[in-house]
Amino acid sequence: MARRALSLSRALGVRSFCAESPNIIAEQVGQQTKRLRVVVAVGGNALIRRGERLTIENQLKAARGDAAPMIKALMKNHSVVLTHGNGPQVGELALERSAATFDVLGAESQGQIGYIFAQALEGLGISAAPLLTQVIVDPSDSAFDNPTKFVGPVYGAKEADALHKSLGWTLKADGEYFRRVVPSPKPIEILQIAAVRLLLEAQTPQGPLPIVCGGGGVPVVRMGTSYANIPSNAIEGMEAVIDKDRCGALLARQLDADAFLIMTDGGGIWQNFGKPDAREMKLASVSYLEGTKAGSRFPGSMGPKVAAAIDFVKNSTSPDAFAAIGDLNDAADIFDNRAGTIIKKEIPGDVVWYDRAEVQKVDRVPRSP
């Protein structure tokens, strides 16, 4: 059945747009609410509150207070898939087990974070199904020659230099601090996508909720020929971390999703972020974001999110597909277009700005994908 689109506020079952907002998200069809297919991407920092240690107890508290209620509200009317980042968690695991490769650490972090979300959601009456997800990458991807993906906590200059000398890590500046970087190749194929589709077909407001592609998925390659004791066509892990938002965009496209929501801890897309004349985009077209290179000044944080939103909207087969970027705590207002930034293929005038004066949100440190 062909997908029918509604206005964003009506489709998501929340309050109507504020009076001054143009009704450009999609058209209203009759009086019937359509169940949308939505992929929600939550950053690894969503499980960390400022000033708290990265313990299971603290992460579970954050999941219960923030992400789980938002997911439950969304599942009342729509089909939902959850994906998440793992930057802080996989970084901690790497510190504990410096000899482990990042494909193994990524798999471990999927289990850890999937468990946390499943616990939080079960307490709200929702059954979750975390899937260990493998994602095919190209072993000749140029990312392996120039690591850029930030993982783990921040370090001062002296501590970063010591880690480089003692463990051989590559560290790069992330604002005024330093963080470890690893290769971040482009995701090509999600191996467990058929299992995700089956779970979605069975989903009700009580679940099952697929939790997939955690941390961008475990990067793997398919062997073309046998090598040593590895047979041909075998799957082998790679020492890398795939960007979670980039993989989320691929996930959303492969599921023919109507919407791709990227939850941050720093609001939507800003012009002149951090400056006195800063202002936040309310609505933006793909062409405007591409033309202005939005997010390019923050390649380790907002840049990948903007690129992933563009990727999904631009390559979706649905003309009404949209992406949204906004603060996790503003989730209800993002759906109502009162917070965050909505991205569509076309927007009248290409961009609409918030006309209210407001204080810019400041990310938890570090600003992690």
Side-chain angles (χ1 to χ4, degrees):
M1 179 181 295
R3 293 186 177 274
R4 295 179 301 170
L6 300 171
S7 66
L8 178 60
S9 57
R10 181 175 178 82
L12 291 169
V14 295
R15 299 183 304 274
S16 62
F17 281 103
C18 50
E20 70 273 12
S21 296
N23 184 14
I24 62 169
I25 299 302
E27 64 178 345
Q28 183 173 314
V29 180
Q31 299 300 316
Q32 187 176 9
T33 298
K34 175 185 178 292
R35 190 172 179 85
L36 299 181
R37 179 168 290 184
V38 183
V39 172
V40 179
V42 176
N45 272 353
L47 297 178
I48 304 174
R49 288 175 174 169
R50 187 181 294 275
E52 293 186 341
R53 294 175 57 242
L54 187 63
T55 65
I56 296 298
E57 292 77 14
N58 284 340
Q59 292 179 77
L60 184 56
K61 180 173 65 175
R64 285 171 172 159
D66 298 327
M70 180 269 290
I71 292 295
K72 179 179 181 179
L74 195 58
M75 288 182 67
K76 288 180 180 179
N77 298 307
H78 307 288
S79 299
V80 181
V81 177
L82 176 63
T83 186
H84 59 80
N86 69 347
Q89 294 83 359
V90 79
E92 288 287 326
L93 289 171
L95 284 172
E96 296 170 4
R97 302 175 55 226
S98 59
T101 57
F102 257 89
D103 57 320
V104 174
L105 295 174
E108 291 178 358
S109 73
Q110 285 188 16
Q112 178 191 108
I113 299 171
Y115 163 72
I116 291 168
F117 278 124
Q119 285 277 70
L121 289 159
E122 190 65 39
L124 297 179
I126 296 174
S127 175
L131 294 181
L132 195 153
T133 318
Q134 298 158 293
V135 179
I136 296 288
V137 300
D138 183 351
S140 62
D141 193 304
S142 60
F144 290 102
D145 299 322
N146 179 31
T148 58
K149 177 70 173 178
F150 289 111
V151 294
V154 297
Y155 305 101
K158 291 183 178 179
E159 191 177 9
D161 185 61
L163 287 168
H164 172 69
K165 291 177 179 177
S166 62
L167 298 177
W169 289 1
T170 300
L171 296 101
K172 294 183 179 181
D174 184 15
E176 59 183 304
Y177 301 97
F178 289 84
R179 294 177 69 193
R180 186 180 180 184
V181 290
V182 296
S184 184
K186 178 183 178 180
I188 297 174
E189 176 187 357
I190 299 169
L191 294 184
Q192 284 72 33
I193 196 69
V196 181
R197 292 193 182 103
L198 287 173
L199 287 169
L200 277 177
E201 290 175 5
Q203 190 179 92
T204 71
Q206 290 74 46
L209 169 71
I211 303 177
V212 299
C213 296
V218 179
V220 299
V221 296
R222 193 185 302 276
M223 300 295 291
T225 59
S226 60
Y227 177 78
N229 63 339
I230 305 173
S232 60
N233 294 318
I235 299 296
E236 285 291 304
M238 295 293 287
E239 177 80 315
V241 172
I242 301 169
D243 181 78
K244 138 313 247 178
D245 295 311
R246 201 173 190 182
C247 189
L250 175 64
L251 174 67
R253 292 200 315 273
Q254 291 193 341
L255 292 175
D256 294 324
D258 299 285
F260 178 36
L261 308 184
I262 302 176
M263 303 288 97
T264 72
D265 48 15
I269 306 173
W270 289 78
Q271 181 186 63
N272 298 328
F273 184 82
K275 298 181 179 180
D277 61 344
R279 55 180 180 169
E280 188 179 11
M281 298 178 197
K282 182 181 181 70
L283 303 158
S285 67
V286 166
S287 61
Y288 181 83
L289 295 178
E290 290 180 326
T292 58
K293 299 181 179 179
S296 61
R297 290 182 57 242
F298 302 95
S301 54
M302 185 56 71
K305 293 172 173 54
V306 175
I310 291 173
D311 180 24
F312 167 67
V313 174
K314 189 175 183 178
N315 295 298
S316 172
T317 57
S318 170
D320 295 318
F322 64 90
I325 300 176
D327 195 287
L328 177 63
N329 294 322
D330 295 333
D333 287 334
I334 292 169
F335 303 152
D336 203 22
N337 203 207
R338 296 177 185 270
T341 305
I342 300 294
I343 299 99
K344 289 278 292 179
K345 286 182 179 176
E346 295 182 359
I347 296 289
D350 278 333
V351 64
V352 177
W353 304 92
Y354 285 101
D355 59 5
R356 60 183 181 269
E358 56 186 331
V359 178
Q360 295 179 52
K361 292 180 180 294
V362 178
D363 278 354
R364 302 176 179 95
V365 177
R367 196 172 196 182
S368 177

